[in-house]
């Protein structure tokens, strides 16, 4: 049974940056969040059709966030050493920072966004430009055989039909193969109050408890879990066929930690919802006060997360003048829903602003390091994670 606990209001597509002439045709949906009492899975109530989100115009290039390029290189090297896979497939390969570390003859990409599929195809990797489904897995078995490593980063939580996605993995995975995937951790989101990880692209937010339930009913099991710092706290899940190998201590430890926090209890989600409402009130009050006192505020990082925050809190150009982002495809556009202009970092002088809100709070250290001069000149950062605060 699904129990609703959070209403994040009317939201646009989080990554649909747009031009002024498209404002009138913008798509919105009601972003409500539920907890499934049977599996413990947290999901959004109204799924948005994936074709509306993941298409030729999808702007999030992983390689534009340089810490992530290192992360995927290190991950690829670690998986090569640990499992020595002969055949590798990546689901949701984006612009290729992970797959680039594997040899072209034995590695395959699956990527529904045509702009990214073209990039990995041009790099020499066979790329299926379509969504991950059991039908696709069966085609791949016919054409390429079974895979030893199936990898996905920030992608499985994008898929509505998890049973079909996991069944597809089970069919394509060789008998001793490993399925490794990483996504934001529900526990860390609840601990840090980072409700902005919830948007159209993330129809599910995973706990280890929920994944263990859903993988098992699809013939797979988790044998290890790594806790990662990326994206504000993610879990890397290692899964295999249900009847192969042992289950490591990290699985029980993670499930225990989640149970102690109360992820199997609806009250935990109600408490979180209350914290989210308070975060909204505090953020709006704090930005409004600064503005009333004549302060200038901008935002660093036109993230999907900031779309959730700005639309939920009703923060537009009345409070934030401009957003800077390193991604070319977002520059010169307006942010979804609240229509704040997005510009390249070099096009503004940060010292003209008093405050910089961190849309990309997950890169807080990297940004603070890059923008030392802003702080030396009296500027301050604002974040809402883990609570609304200003810092230098
Ligand atoms: O799963 C998803 C994750 C991996 O990426 C998505 N569904 C979509 C996207 O979410 P996001 O937009 O919240 O991700 P990031 O990685 O927090 O985005 C960072 C943004 O900030 C990028 O557009 C690049 C930009 N950036 C910047 O302007 N200056 C990043 C850094 C590090 C910087 O210094």
């Amino acid at each position: 049974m699904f129990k609703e606990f959070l209403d994040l209001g009317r939201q646009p597509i989080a990554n649909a940056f747009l031009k002024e002439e498209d404002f009138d045709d913008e798509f919105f949906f009601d972003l409500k969040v539920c907890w499934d009492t049977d599996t413990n899975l947290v999901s959004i109530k109204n799924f948005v059709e994936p074709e509306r989100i993941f298409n030729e115009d999808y702007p999030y290039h992983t390689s534009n966030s340089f810490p992530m390029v290192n992360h995927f290189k290190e991950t690829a090297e670690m998986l090569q050493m640990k499992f020595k896979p002969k055949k590798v497939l990546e689901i949701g390969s984006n612009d290729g920072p992970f797959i680039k570390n594997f040899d072209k003859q034995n590695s395959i990409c699956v990527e529904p966004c045509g702009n990214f599929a073209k990039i990995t195809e041009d790099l020499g990797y066979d790329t299926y430009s379509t969504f991950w489904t059991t039908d696709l897995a069966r085609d791949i078995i016919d054409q390429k055989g079974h895979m030893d490593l199936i990898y996905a980063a920030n992608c499985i939580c994008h898929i509505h039909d998890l049973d079909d996605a996991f069944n597809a993995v089970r069919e394509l995975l060789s008998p001793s193969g490993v399925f490794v995937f990483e996504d934001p951790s529900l526990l860390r989101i609840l601990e840090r109050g980072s409700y902005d990880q919830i948007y159209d692209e993330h129809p599910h937010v995973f706990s280890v408890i929920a994944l263990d339930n859903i993988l098992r009913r699809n013939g797979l099991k988790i044998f290890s879990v790594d806790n990662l710092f990326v994206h504000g706290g993610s879990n890397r899940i290692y899964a295999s066929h249900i009847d192969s190998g042992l289950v490591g201590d990290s699985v029980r430890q993670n499930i225990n930690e989640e149970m102690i926090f109360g992820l199997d209890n609806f009250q935990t989600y109600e408490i979180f919802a209350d914290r989210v409402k308070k975060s909204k009130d505090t953020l709006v009050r704090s930005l409004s006060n600064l503005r009333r006192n004549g302060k200038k505020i901008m935002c660093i990082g036109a993230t999907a997360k900031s779309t959730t925050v700005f639309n939920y809190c009703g923060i537009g150009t009345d409070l934030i003048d401009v957003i800077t982002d390193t991604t070319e495809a977002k520059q010169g556009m307006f942010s979804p829903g609240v229509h704040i202009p997005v510009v390249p970092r070099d096009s503004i002088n940060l010292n003209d602003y008093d405050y910089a809100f961190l849309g990309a709070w997950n890169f807080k250290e990297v940004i603070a390091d890059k923008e030392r001069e802003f702080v030396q000149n009296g500027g301050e950062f604002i974040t809402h994670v883990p609570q609304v605060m200003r810092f230098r």
Side-chain angles (χ1 to χ4, degrees):
M1 185 176 69
F2 289 97
K3 290 176 86 169
E4 189 180 315
F5 62 91
L6 179 62
D7 185 349
L8 291 170
R10 184 174 172 265
Q11 292 278 348
I13 301 293
N15 257 314
F17 292 84
L18 68 173
K19 299 206 171 82
E20 201 164 351
E21 60 262 34
D22 297 324
F23 285 178
D24 290 342
D25 298 327
E26 197 168 9
F27 172 86
F28 288 89
F29 73 106
D30 289 325
L31 182 53
K32 296 184 173 164
V33 194
C34 311
W35 172 68
D36 179 8
T37 53
D38 298 330
T39 61
N40 276 298
L41 182 66
V42 166
S43 305
I44 66 175
K45 192 172 176 186
N46 305 310
F47 292 151
V48 177
E49 315 85 280
E51 292 79 5
R52 205 183 255 288
I53 306 170
F54 303 108
N55 50 46
E56 287 280 334
D57 297 325
Y58 187 70
Y60 179 78
H61 286 247
T62 305
S63 302
N64 276 313
S65 297
F66 71 85
M68 295 312 295
V69 177
N70 290 341
H71 170 76
F72 288 119
K73 185 166 184 295
E74 284 166 17
T75 303
E77 286 166 2
M78 179 274 290
L79 294 175
Q80 269 160 339
M81 284 235 301
K82 223 176 190 167
F83 301 111
K84 304 191 174 28
K86 289 199 182 72
K87 287 193 192 172
V88 180
L89 177 136
E90 183 178 10
I91 311 171
S93 41
N94 198 273
D95 58 358
F98 175 80
I99 207 75
K100 263 183 205 166
N101 302 288
F102 291 86
D103 85 85
K104 292 173 185 151
Q105 280 66 45
N106 297 304
S107 313
I108 301 169
C109 303
V110 175
E111 174 51 67
C113 303
N115 48 342
F116 297 133
K118 184 166 178 338
I119 295 175
T120 48
E121 194 68 52
D122 288 348
L123 287 170
Y125 293 90
D126 267 351
T127 304
Y128 291 80
S129 186
T130 183
F131 290 95
W132 177 247
T133 60
T134 295
D135 287 344
L136 174 66
R138 288 177 184 162
D139 285 347
I140 296 175
I141 295 169
D142 289 344
Q143 292 159 20
K144 312 272 184 190
H146 290 86
M147 297 290 135
D148 305 310
L149 170 64
I150 299 179
Y151 178 78
N154 303 302
C155 173
I156 299 298
C157 75
H158 292 182
I159 300 176
H160 302 172
D161 187 347
L162 292 175
D163 287 319
D164 183 68
F166 290 151
N167 181 62
V169 169
R170 183 183 53 76
E171 292 199 15
L172 185 60
L173 201 62
S174 63
S176 58
V178 267
F179 172 37
V180 180
F181 62 105
E182 48 187 80
D183 290 290
S185 148
L186 175 66
L187 176 60
R188 301 295 165 235
I189 290 172
L190 264 57
E191 275 176 349
R192 290 175 189 169
S194 49
Y195 65 90
D196 53 353
Q197 291 279 18
I198 305 169
Y199 45 90
D200 57 303
E201 276 177 44
H202 290 178
H204 308 292
V205 187
F206 293 145
S207 60
V208 179
I209 304 175
L211 284 171
D212 197 48
N213 287 327
I214 301 166
L215 284 159
R216 279 181 184 277
R217 77 182 182 207
N218 287 288
L220 297 164
K221 69 158 188 264
I222 305 176
F223 65 88
S224 190
V225 180
D226 290 342
N227 304 126
L228 311 173
F229 286 108
V230 295
H231 292 298
S234 300
N235 285 329
R236 181 184 291 136
I237 304 289
Y238 298 76
S240 64
H241 286 285
I242 203 159
D243 50 4
S244 85
L246 299 171
V247 173
D249 291 345
S250 57
V251 181
R252 184 48 47 206
Q253 281 158 7
N254 272 273
I255 290 178
N256 280 349
E257 197 192 346
E258 291 182 349
M259 295 292 253
I260 290 166
F261 191 86
L263 293 193
D264 59 338
N265 182 344
F266 188 62
Q267 213 194 354
T268 305
Y269 299 96
E270 291 179 310
I271 292 168
F272 174 67
D274 200 43
R275 179 175 174 186
V276 172
K277 281 182 215 123
K278 289 191 175 117
S279 169
K280 169 182 174 170
D281 293 345
T282 314
L283 182 62
V284 173
R285 201 176 332 111
S286 151
L287 296 180
S288 307
N289 283 342
L290 293 173
R291 206 54 159 187
R292 252 195 306 280
N293 290 321
K295 303 296 181 195
K296 287 190 77 181
I297 312 166
M298 55 81 67
C299 168
I300 300 179
T303 55
K305 297 183 287 292
S306 62
T307 297
T308 299
V309 176
F310 293 160
N311 284 277
Y312 173 57
C313 298
I315 295 169
T317 45
D318 51 332
L319 296 176
I320 292 195
D321 295 317
V322 73
I323 308 175
T324 59
D325 199 283
T326 48
T327 311
E328 235 174 83
K330 298 179 186 177
Q331 297 166 354
M333 309 288 266
F334 291 86
S335 73
V338 293
H339 305 158
I340 303 172
V342 182
V343 300
R345 168 67 188 85
D346 298 345
S347 73
I348 63 160
N349 181 355
L350 212 53
N351 298 327
D352 291 342
Y353 295 86
D354 302 291
Y355 295 94
F357 178 78
L358 291 180
W361 54 263
N362 44 318
F363 294 117
K364 179 171 140 187
E365 287 79 13
V366 176
I367 293 170
D369 189 49
K370 271 204 253 179
E371 306 296 359
R372 278 192 303 265
E373 200 194 309
F374 168 63
V375 172
Q376 281 157 8
N377 286 325
E380 275 187 72
F381 296 109
I382 302 176
T383 184
H384 67 291
V385 177
Q387 71 262 332
V388 177
M389 60 183 179
R390 291 169 13 194
F391 70 98
R392 288 175 188 275

